[in-house]
Amino acid sequence: MFKYILKKEFLLIFRDIHALLVLFIMPAVFILIMSLALKNTYSDSFETKLKVAVITEENIDTTTFVKDLNKSSYFSADLLFEESLKTLIYDKNYDFVIKIDKDFKNKINTNEENFQIQSYSKADTNKEYFSILKNSIVEIISKNIMKEYFIKSKIDGKVLSQLSQKINNSYIYKDDKTKTKPNSVQQSVPAWLVFSMFFILIPISNTFINEKNFGTISRIRSINVSLFPILLGKILPYFIINQIQVIIMILIGIYIVPLCGGDSLVINGNYLLIFCMSSAISICAICFALLIANISKTTEEATSIGGVINIIFAALGGIMVPKFVMPEFMQNITSYSPMSWGLEGLLEIFIRGGDFSNIKIYLLYLLIFATISLLLAYILLKKGRN
């Protein structure tokens, strides 16, 4: 009897072609968009450098300052004379305008009290960009002042000028075999994969609620089939769909994103562990969808309730906004989202090269959430029948 229940489920799934398209097209689009949007966040430089206008009088010091600023991986600077700030920022699209005195070195050396280097930008400019600019200015001026001091003291100044090149960062992985550098695709693929797996709620709620309303479940029950085989019969087909999602989204990260100008997805961990995590996420998402389908009376109600809850889970779970950019109190809240458990488990594998001991706590959380959801769905279904 169970195989006929499965056959029925597969027939219903392929009739709801629009819901299936949502499950595959939506995450694919999000992966492409977010991988490209976050590319600079994980890069050592900006693909499009920030434009900087330096307003001052031309002399050897200001020319050297602009030249050194252009050597940065982040900025493209021009030396300009006095001009309207609004014109430079809004018409000529400069990201920053810097006003600096032509004799800035002398004023720094004499510790002039009123000396300032003034920066201007749009109100919505990323504060991190200003921090990078500020640090670059300090570094450039400090090097030039120290270089003059070294020359006067007959000390080799090359050591100072090459100091930044001698400071490097190395990534430490849990698996010693992995040596790849983290990139935006390794964040985007797991994040939107988890999000899309939870949206299995749409086809499940459509078919399940229609079956309840049309009396299909009651007719199956009339031939002595218990409720658990009916619920389990819902899990297996959608579990298979979720695993197909995993394969397709990983392939998009590896082959499609690079074609659009992004980085290629590199998986540092074990593929078997990815299957373990994706299985736990899938079971959790399906059981949650069955719970929502039993709470709701109509497909519209299920889509509304489930959709809102999924978006909240995604917002809190580091899906829409990477966890590392959140303030501390928000990072603490993410631990209560099932999507966060799935995402953190996948990131352990994709980026950090973790093993089973690193993901077992996330597997446990997901399976506990799934068990509770399935039991509640069973109780509600049985109560509704009675």
Side-chain angles (χ1 to χ4, degrees), residues 109-120:
N109 286 328
T110 57
N111 196 24
E112 185 173 316
E113 186 176 347
N114 296 324
F115 171 73
Q116 278 192 339
I117 299 174
Q118 188 63 52
S119 173
Y120 302 89

Side-chain angles (χ1 to χ4, degrees), residues 36-165:
L36 298 175
L38 292 173
K39 185 177 179 181
N40 284 341
T41 305
Y42 290 83
S43 177
D44 293 331
S45 62
F46 292 155
E47 194 169 273
T48 303
K49 292 186 176 183
L50 299 173
K51 289 180 64 180
V52 179
V54 181
I55 297 180
T56 186
E57 294 182 33
E58 187 174 1
N59 59 31
I60 188 169
D61 290 333
T62 56
T63 302
T64 302
F65 174 79
V66 173
K67 184 179 178 181
D68 288 342
L69 196 58
N70 275 314
K71 291 178 181 178
S72 167
S73 304
Y74 302 102
F75 304 108
S76 173
D78 296 313
L79 178 62
L80 303 175
F81 301 106
E82 192 67 38
E83 195 169 344
S84 168
L85 294 175
K86 288 186 179 180
T87 300
L88 290 171
I89 291 174
Y90 290 100
D91 295 338
K92 296 188 177 180
N93 295 317
Y94 279 97
D95 297 288
F96 290 97
V97 177
I98 298 172
K99 282 190 174 183
I100 185 170
D101 295 334
K102 64 176 182 178
D103 57 342
F104 65 91
K105 275 189 180 180
N106 180 54
K107 291 184 177 181
I108 292 172
N109 286 328
T110 57
N111 196 24
E112 185 173 316
E113 186 176 347
N114 296 324
F115 171 73
Q116 278 192 339
I117 299 174
Q118 188 63 52
S119 173
Y120 302 89
S121 66
K122 293 179 183 176
D124 59 348
T125 300
N126 192 326
K127 291 183 179 180
E128 292 182 3
Y129 294 167
F130 175 67
S131 295
I132 295 172
L133 175 64
K134 187 175 180 180
N135 292 335
S136 297
I137 292 172
V138 171
E139 181 184 2
I140 289 169
I141 295 176
S142 299
K143 278 185 178 180
N144 287 331
I145 291 174
M146 289 300 294
K147 184 178 180 182
E148 291 181 357
Y149 170 77
F150 281 1
I151 291 172
K152 289 178 182 179
S153 303
K154 297 182 179 180
I155 301 173
D156 187 0
K158 290 183 179 180
V159 176
L160 182 64
S161 63
Q162 296 174 356
L163 181 59
S164 62
Q165 299 174 13

